[in-house]
Amino acid sequence: MATGSTSNGTPQKGQQGQHVRRGGGGGGRGRGHGGGRGRRLAAAGRTGQQQQQRQQQQRQPMQPEPFVHRKVQPHRLHYLPRQHLYRAASYLDENDKARALNSVGIAYRPNQNQKREQLQRNRAARLQRLKREMEKKQAAPDISQLSMSEDTTGVSAAIEAAAAAAAAEAASASASSSQDADMKDEKESDDDNHNNEDKDKETADIKAADESEEDKKDDDEDDDEDSSKDEEDATGGSSSTTTPGPTSKPFVSPPDPDTLLARLNTRRLYKRIKHYKSDAKFAAVQPYAKNKTVEDLAEEEWAALLARAKAMNTARMQKKQYVDPIPPVPSAHELLMFSPCPRPPAILASYPRSGNSLCRTLFERTTLRVTGSDMRGGLAKHDLVGEAAVSSQRVTFVKTHYPERRGNPPFKASKVVLLVRNPFDAIDSFWNLMMTNTHTNTVEFTDEQKVKAQKAWEEMALKELHVWKEFHIFWLEQDIPMLLIRYEDLIRHPDEVTSRIVRFVLDIKNMGSFFTERIDRCIREEQLEKLGSYKPRSGGIGKSLSKYTPEMLQRMSLDIMEVLARMGYPTELLVPDADLWQTMKPLDHYGVEWAASYPWPPKSVKKGEEWGDVPHMVINSGELVRGKEHETNWRAVKQSLGLVSGDSECTCYRCIAARKQTST
């Protein structure tokens, strides 16, 4: 008998064990439709089994596409709060992770993961050993049961329970302590994360940036303070590359200029928010656009400033009054940015303590462009973040003290702004800088120290006068486009001098109203003393004359008379009268400009084209004007005056270098 159906309609298995379809080829659903589905499948070229396989494939859920991690840029980690830093860094390879974490002040070595895995294996082995010891203790005979045949008071049970609890507690404490010892760094970072969870995100970012910069204590507050005379000491606040050992600290690389700029802009945004909340006219104004990086914000705000200037010019031509739809951002809270230069950058050359920090700050406030420096000192904490940035891909204006000292590394320069200051004030400021290691403090002596200090002061002043003279003669003899400006004119006429610098550095023939209004705004909104990177000691002219004896003044004046005349100083400067110096007339057009023997800009270069190999000079590549006979042993001076008792307390470059060598 073949196959059939049961009474309830379920198919029966035949001799071959196969199911039989009902209704012929297609299982007819009514009169005239028998076998219709089978004919449709046949017409489509598919059998019933193939159709079932196709339907099963369609019923299967779609497989999600594999997740692809976006590449994390190491220099963008400083935007993240601390609780997200380690997660973002986990997507980097070991070298990028070490560089990124070190740039935000977190010590990390590429082989840290291997060491952590070994510590985890050691911890697991200790836990297993403790577990075996617990099992042995539990299997040992109870002393209470050996001393009594029948325990009716429950003392033995209590002793056994107490022993087991004590053993368990000891094992737990041992495991916990070993885990804490092995993962100390991770636990500290987790504690910091928990402490910062309830804080505002912007406040946390600012605090993290400020703490990172506070941790970066530089022995020199400025690259002026770093009186090193070779390339190794010229790096100033950079950490020494020591091999991590049991007693040495792990190497933490100094922050790069991009990180320093991002921290500065973040601080400025935070201060802008506080200012907007305290000022009623900014109540309805949003401090900044959301979901954008500080680089994008800086570019957009600069474009908005250009659009505002264009609208003001249009209204001025139409003789209409321009009304700002949104109040302008205060200049102290505007964002800075790097800007590439099509030619080698211009340099700001000056003898130390001649006002280069003030000049750089005025240029940055006006153009919103970061100025560079060929030294890595401590000026980053004073908002000058272009330390060690000399490439034309980043900056247009670079500060240098060459050839008084050699920065690192050598780089090309296409033009020079020579900033000069009378040697009497400059040398006195340099003396206070090296004796106190600060820009703002003045060294003070007791009656017993004054005799020795006067002798050391006179010896140092004569040495530095020779360096000051040779420094300026070197630059006055260079065949390169040059603009000479004076510190005395800068502090009395900052708007005119800054305008002259901007025109010269940026090759602007007609300043127009844009930069003029920006210079006026920067100086009008804040006092000149607050525009600098730090509060100056005196800010006056000729206030150091009382420290020079008449014999010293006469000897120094005769030695530098010719150089002073070449730099536009009048003969009144040779008269030791501070009141007379205050009435000194400024230079014509607030600066003297010298052209090079070659045309500038090159005639072969058209607007918008690449400059190519333009004439230039190489900075930090020649001999220095400060020889060994003109160096001052600041360590010996401080020790002779009793200011320091040993090398461990001295802050001169010799003692700093000796301590670095000892630590290695």
Side-chain angles (χ1 to χ4, degrees), residues 76 79 265 289 291-303 335 337:
R76 294 184 178 271
Y79 302 123
N265 285 337
N291 301 324
K292 293 182 181 293
T293 63
V294 288
E295 292 93 342
D296 296 337
L297 287 175
E299 293 179 358
E300 291 181 2
E301 291 180 1
W302 176 256
L335 305 183
M337 55 183 169

Side-chain angles (χ1 to χ4, degrees), residues 394-605:
R394 290 178 176 267
V395 292
T396 308
F397 201 25
V398 180
K399 164 231 173 170
T400 183
H401 290 316
Y402 178 80
E404 185 269 338
R405 67 188 65 178
R406 183 178 290 107
N408 191 22
F411 64 98
K412 298 179 181 179
S414 59
K415 52 174 57 178
V416 179
V417 175
L418 181 60
L419 176 60
V420 300
R421 185 182 186 184
N422 74 83
F424 307 102
D425 291 337
I427 293 175
D428 175 59
S429 181
F430 186 69
W431 163 266
N432 285 289
L433 171 70
M434 300 307 299
M435 295 299 291
T436 64
N437 203 32
T438 65
H439 288 80
T440 57
N441 296 335
T442 302
V443 61
E444 297 180 357
F445 302 107
T446 62
D447 294 337
E448 298 179 357
Q449 295 173 336
K450 286 183 179 180
V451 178
K452 294 182 179 180
Q454 182 64 27
K455 182 179 179 181
W457 154 255
E458 293 179 359
E459 293 178 356
M460 185 277 305
L462 294 177
K463 292 179 181 179
E464 292 301 321
L465 182 68
H466 175 83
V467 177
W468 182 93
K469 176 183 175 181
E470 295 298 325
F471 174 88
H472 292 93
I473 290 177
F474 170 85
W475 283 112
L476 292 174
E477 295 177 350
Q478 297 301 313
D479 184 16
I480 190 172
M482 183 180 302
L483 172 66
L484 184 145
I485 58 175
R486 297 188 310 201
Y487 172 80
E488 292 79 11
D489 298 339
L490 179 64
I491 62 175
R492 293 182 301 168
H493 310 281
D495 50 348
E496 300 292 347
V497 177
T498 303
S499 176
R500 190 68 191 270
I501 295 173
V502 172
R503 288 201 308 267
F504 178 78
V505 173
L506 301 182
D507 295 310
I508 299 176
K509 295 182 179 179
N510 184 11
M511 286 289 287
S513 60
F514 176 70
F515 284 115
T516 303
E517 292 176 355
R518 285 200 56 81
I519 294 172
D520 294 339
R521 234 183 90 207
C522 294
I523 299 175
R524 184 178 66 253
E525 288 180 353
E526 295 188 34
Q527 298 177 359
L528 183 63
E529 292 79 6
K530 296 182 180 180
L531 281 175
S533 300
Y534 45 83
K535 184 179 179 180
R537 289 189 180 90
S538 62
I541 303 174
K543 291 190 176 182
S544 61
L545 288 176
S546 60
K547 296 185 178 181
Y548 296 89
T549 61
E551 294 78 10
M552 286 187 64
L553 287 174
Q554 183 178 6
R555 180 178 177 182
M556 295 172 67
S557 300
L558 293 175
D559 194 16
I560 60 175
M561 185 182 303
E562 182 181 356
V563 179
L564 289 176
R566 293 180 63 182
M567 294 187 295
Y569 282 101
T571 55
E572 289 82 356
L573 192 66
L574 302 179
V575 180
D577 187 353
D579 295 334
L580 183 63
W581 288 14
Q582 293 285 350
T583 61
M584 181 172 46
K585 294 182 179 180
L587 293 173
D588 293 339
H589 305 289
Y590 304 95
V592 179
E593 187 171 343
W594 287 285
S597 60
Y598 47 85
W600 185 269
K603 296 182 179 179
S604 59
V605 179

Side-chain angles (χ1 to χ4, degrees), residues 129-235:
R129 185 171 63 254
L130 291 173
K131 185 177 180 181
R132 289 193 297 268
E133 292 176 0
M134 283 288 300
E135 292 175 354
K136 290 181 179 180
K137 290 181 179 180
Q138 292 177 359
D142 194 355
I143 300 177
S144 62
Q145 292 182 359
L146 295 176
S147 60
M148 56 182 67
S149 59
E150 183 178 0
D151 186 12
T152 58
T153 61
V155 175
S156 61
I159 294 175
E160 182 179 2
E169 183 179 359
S172 177
S174 177
S176 177
S177 62
S178 62
Q179 183 176 3
D180 292 342
D182 295 337
M183 307 300 290
K184 180 179 179 181
D185 295 337
E186 295 181 357
K187 186 173 182 180
E188 290 177 355
S189 62
D190 292 339
D191 292 340
D192 293 337
N193 297 341
H194 290 300
N195 293 333
N196 294 331
E197 283 179 354
D198 298 332
K199 293 184 179 180
D200 182 61
K201 179 179 182 298
E202 295 168 349
T203 307
D205 291 342
I206 300 301
K207 185 176 180 181
D210 291 340
E211 289 177 353
S212 299
E213 291 194 358
E214 287 297 329
D215 292 339
K216 183 182 171 287
K217 292 295 182 181
D218 197 329
D219 293 313
D220 303 320
E221 291 200 10
D222 178 29
D223 27 6
D224 295 334
E225 301 169 27
D226 183 10
S227 299
S228 164
K229 305 305 177 293
D230 50 26
E231 295 184 4
E232 178 180 357
D233 295 333
T235 56

Side-chain angles (χ1 to χ4, degrees), residues 72-86 88-89 92 99-106 201-202 204-210 212-213 255-267 293-295 338 394:
V72 180
Q73 299 294 337
H75 66 275
R76 294 184 178 271
L77 290 182
H78 47 255
Y79 302 123
L80 299 177
R82 188 62 63 91
Q83 56 264 31
H84 300 313
L85 244 171
Y86 291 97
L92 302 172
R99 185 170 64 254
L101 293 179
N102 289 340
S103 67
V104 297
I106 300 175
K201 179 179 182 298
E202 295 168 349
D205 291 342
I206 300 301
K207 185 176 180 181
D210 291 340
S212 299
E213 291 194 358
D256 58 282
D258 290 317
T259 302
L260 294 175
L261 177 60
R263 292 176 181 175
L264 171 62
N265 285 337
T266 306
R267 289 196 301 271
T293 63
V294 288
E295 292 93 342
F338 289 112
R394 290 178 176 267

